Amino acid sequence: EPEVTQTPSHQVTQMGQEVILRCVPISNHLYFYWYRQILGQKVEFLVSFYNNEISEKSEIFDDQFSVERPDGSNFTLKIRSTKLEDSAMYFCASSLETVLSYEQYFGPGTRLTVT
Amino acid sequence: DAKTTQPNSMESNEEEPVHLPCNHSTISGTDYIHWYRQLPSQGPEYVIHGLTSNVNNRMASLAIAEDRKSSTLILHRATLRDAAVYYCILASGNTPLVFGKGTRLSVIA
């Protein structure tokens, strides 16, 4: 069964450093998302991406964040200058384009630890 | 904020059916009712979704009230692997999912 994959599974970085989290969505999916979950808290939406551009973003997704689909398979989230509060699990998700409804398929996540 | 209300936690015996309730009194006509679950240390996992009619798939059944203001996720025979946080989410089209706190289901052997 096709699945969303994410690398690395765990990333440790120092405050102020740039990190890039990588995702390979399911191959025929057209919508891509990033969510994050701070330990013990709710899953929060960051950004959605469709047709090579951001379709929606939350207030969390400020200028320090960017997303890219550099080729036909990868979808990346970049945090330009990490802060301690960026420590969280980051989940990538993808879905088919449908008019009526959809289900999102999530990857296993990348645990980001900022020290 | 999430537009659904769920109990914080529920408990079930293994191999018994489980009914997880969800209230969504402000549901709009275009909202689908989605259920996801999150097993410990894993990403959310799609379970089932529906609009008006009851739905069945290999994982679960979804019973939707006639007025659509509430729904129930039914796990027909709970197993230890079903222990997870279950989220009831309203969504239309490809809008982002808004997760609440969900219901933490414990399954007792």
Side-chain angles (χ1 to χ4, degrees):
Chain A
E1 189 171 315
E3 58 183 19
V4 176
T5 59
Q6 291 185 243
T7 54
S9 57
H10 191 189
Q11 173 89 49
V12 182
T13 189
Q14 288 189 327
M15 197 167 50
Q17 295 297 304
E18 174 183 285
V19 294
I20 297 176
L21 309 183
R22 291 183 167 79
C23 167
V24 179
I26 294 173
S27 63
N28 61 336
H29 284 188
L30 298 175
Y31 278 87
F32 313 112
Y33 309 82
W34 284 101
Y35 294 81
R36 79 172 186 190
Q37 186 174 31
I38 295 170
L39 186 63
Q41 298 188 25
K42 296 186 281 188
V43 177
E44 301 174 289
F45 166 73
L46 292 178
V47 65
S48 59
F49 192 84
Y50 172 72
N51 202 24
N52 284 320
E53 60 183 24
I54 291 174
S55 54
E56 200 164 339
K57 60 182 181 179
S58 72
E59 58 187 28
I60 301 170
F61 193 87
D62 61 21
D63 292 345
Q64 292 299 311
F65 291 88
S66 63
V67 289
E68 195 177 33
R69 188 152 162 82
D71 53 41
S73 59
N74 289 285
F75 180 51
T76 62
L77 174 69
K78 182 193 294 186
I79 308 175
R80 217 178 318 278
S81 177
T82 50
K83 303 189 280 280
L84 294 176
E85 52 265 39
D86 293 327
S87 295
M89 282 291 290
Y90 287 81
F91 296 109
C92 172
S94 69
S95 69
L96 282 168
E97 177 185 21
T98 63
V99 174
L100 297 179
S101 184
Y102 68 99
E103 51 260 38
Q104 294 184 15
Y105 293 87
F106 285 77
T110 292
R111 179 175 300 283
L112 177 65
T113 303
V114 183
T115 61
Chain B
D1 285 335
K3 299 183 288 185
T4 62
T5 305
Q6 299 177 251
N8 289 332
S9 62
M10 289 185 66
E11 204 172 78
S12 171
N13 293 318
E14 198 176 11
E15 299 193 7
E16 295 290 317
V18 182
H19 291 232
L20 298 165
C22 181
N23 288 317
H24 29 79
S25 58
T26 60
I27 190 169
S28 74
T30 58
D31 283 334
Y32 281 72
I33 302 156
H34 290 253
W35 283 82
Y36 284 76
R37 71 180 185 180
Q38 189 173 22
L39 279 64
S41 302
Q42 294 190 28
E45 176 187 26
Y46 168 78
V47 177
I48 199 167
H49 76 283
L51 184 62
T52 56
S53 304
N54 294 344
V55 185
N56 300 296
N57 67 19
R58 63 176 177 82
M59 289 182 72
S61 295
L62 176 59
I64 301 172
E66 206 169 314
D67 64 4
R68 300 209 324 127
K69 293 185 177 181
S70 65
S71 60
T72 302
L73 179 70
I74 302 164
L75 306 179
H76 296 285
R77 282 178 71 243
T79 69
L80 296 177
R81 287 176 297 177
D82 291 322
V85 180
Y86 287 78
Y87 301 99
C88 170
I89 300 171
L90 303 183
S92 58
N94 283 292
T95 56
L97 299 174
V98 178
F99 288 82
K101 294 182 180 179
T103 296
R104 182 174 298 279
L105 175 66
S106 302
V107 181
I108 302 166

